[in-house]
Every structure is written in structure tokens, then in C-alpha cells.
Amino acid sequence: MNLNAKLTILEQMVDIYDRFIGEFDLACEKYCAHCCTANVTMTTLEGYRIITHLEKAGDMHCLETIARQSHPDRFKPRVSINRMADICARDGDPPEEQMDPSAGPCPVLADDACSLYGVRPFGCRCMVSARNCGQTGFADMDPFILTVNDVFLQHLEHIDAQGFSGNFSDVMQFLDSEKNRQAYTAGQLGPPPAGLVANQPVFVLMIPPEHRDRIQPWLKQIRSIQV
């Protein structure tokens, strides 16, 4: 599958998810930035979508801001979400992931507003809450939303199975290199560099028994996407 097809699928997945999440009463609103941290992760496919947006907007200097303001203690996953699901399904021992909640705000956050909101990573899009996180100190998320989030993230990685996943800042800095972008576009990436992890196809979906029936309509919509 070529990159343009993958980007088209990503756009359709975003539309499906927006319809899904629109059914819930959420507290999220503009300038509510409590979850906009330096610990967001994403795939290279999402990163390339952002790069394309920046090129069209003539705003590639944003990459310099990301590199300059990246927090040294930002979260760096040791495995991708599909790899984690694979390990758990085989009764293996997943690696311990270390995340510093005090790593600071996202490097593209300005005055509590996201400068890339329209093309923000799915990890940002799906971080929602029924109550204001600033008042509660945590996200109040319906368990079914969490399940749907995992399924969308797993399918997104599946589409980008020849790519990488990692912290938002690390993916963007990787794609800041024209050589890396060309290799990604050509489907010729080598082993992941330090800070990024290899993506893989879906082996098993992380759906608890109590959500298997309820999630079927959304799975059907994802699987019916056509390019």
C-alpha cells in the first residue's frame, strides 16, 4: 500500500472516531490543556501527515521549535501497542514502561492552545474526559472509550506496520530529515533509531469480553474503509 493510500485511510479513521466520540458528553474544550504533555506518542504515518501540513502552511520552522523545546525526560516507549498486545496474548512479560508525569507541556502548545490541532496525533485526539481534569487531577474516561481508543490505535499502527512509533518529539525530529522522509515514503526504512520502536501488524485486538458486542459497529466501519 502506498503512502497516499495510508494517509487517506488515516483521514477516514479520524472521521469515524470523531463520530464515535461525538456521542459522549465531554468536558474537553479549547484552552483545556491539562493532558497536552510532552509524553504523547504517535506513528510515523501521523508524523508524516503533520509534516505535509507544515509544508503546505509554510511553517516548517515549527520543527526547530519541537527540537528545541523537547523535554529530556519525555516518555519513550520500549515497544509499540501491537507488540504489547502480542506479548500479553502469549502470556509473556511486557517490558516496564517508565513515564514521568512532570515532563512538562507539549512543545507545540502555545498559550494553552495546540498549534497543530487539526492534524494532532491520535493519542491527543482520543485523550478525553467527562470532567475537567484540572479540577479532578485525572481524566474521567468511560471504559468503553478506552477500549475503542486501543482498537483505533492498534489499527493505525497496523496501517503503518513498516514504520515506527515513538514520542511525538522523537518522531518529528526523525522526519525532519529529508533523507528519512524519502526512505519512509519509499517504504525503505531500516531498523528504528534510538528512541523509536518498530511497528507491527495487529496480532490480537485488546477488547475485553464485556465490550465485544458493543464495539462491532465501529470495527465494521474501520474495516469497511476503502481507498
Side-chain angles (χ1 to χ4, degrees):
M1 186 186 305
N2 65 45
L3 182 55
N4 286 334
K6 294 178 181 180
L7 289 168
T8 298
I9 293 173
L10 170 57
E11 296 291 349
Q12 292 187 46
M13 287 184 64
V14 167
D15 289 342
I16 294 170
Y17 186 81
D18 285 350
R19 291 198 298 272
F20 161 74
I21 207 65
E23 297 182 356
F24 294 84
D25 185 15
L26 302 173
C28 306
E29 58 184 355
K30 191 172 183 178
Y31 305 119
C32 174
H34 304 291
C35 64
C36 301
T37 75
N39 294 324
V40 171
T41 60
M42 68 176 180
T43 61
T44 38
L45 180 62
E46 295 168 279
Y48 194 88
R49 178 185 184 228
I50 293 173
I51 289 284
T52 301
H53 167 78
L54 292 175
E55 286 180 328
K56 290 179 178 178
D59 194 21
M60 290 293 280
H61 69 275
C62 178
L63 297 173
E64 298 175 5
T65 301
I66 293 171
R68 185 175 62 253
Q69 298 188 8
S70 295
H71 197 284
D73 296 325
R74 61 190 180 274
F75 173 61
K76 296 186 178 184
R78 297 179 62 188
V79 294
S80 70
I81 187 171
N82 282 341
R83 178 59 182 146
M84 182 71 76
D86 190 350
I87 293 171
C88 293
R90 299 177 189 274
D91 294 324
D93 293 321
E96 292 187 11
E97 298 280 16
Q98 307 260 338
M99 181 180 293
D100 182 0
S102 62
C106 175
V108 298
L109 192 67
D111 297 324
D112 286 337
C114 176
S115 60
L116 297 174
Y117 187 79
V119 290
R120 66 196 184 281
F122 195 85
C124 303
R125 186 176 295 273
C126 72
M127 188 61 189
V128 297
S129 179
R131 292 183 290 172
N132 188 299
C133 301
Q135 299 173 359
T136 63
F138 60 90
D140 181 4
M141 191 181 299
D142 186 299
F144 183 62
I145 293 179
L146 185 59
T147 294
V148 172
N149 288 352
D150 285 339
V151 167
F152 270 80
L153 288 167
Q154 285 192 259
H155 278 85
L156 181 54
E157 180 186 336
H158 179 86
I159 298 166
D160 197 32
Q162 286 73 47
F164 304 144
S165 286
N167 186 281
F168 166 80
S169 294
D170 294 316
V171 173
M172 293 304 296
Q173 290 180 66
F174 174 78
L175 292 173
D176 189 15
S177 161
E178 185 175 352
K179 179 181 178 181
N180 289 340
R181 290 200 301 274
Q182 290 176 348
Y184 177 64
T185 302
Q188 297 177 348
L189 291 177
L196 301 181
V197 297
N199 290 340
Q200 72 172 48
V202 170
F203 171 72
V204 59
L205 290 174
M206 297 188 292
I207 304 174
E210 64 270 23
H211 294 158
R212 287 175 184 166
D213 290 337
R214 186 179 175 187
I215 204 171
Q216 291 307 312
W218 301 106
L219 277 175
K220 184 177 180 180
Q221 288 192 51
I222 293 174
R223 292 168 176 170
S224 65
I225 291 175
Q226 296 183 353
V227 179

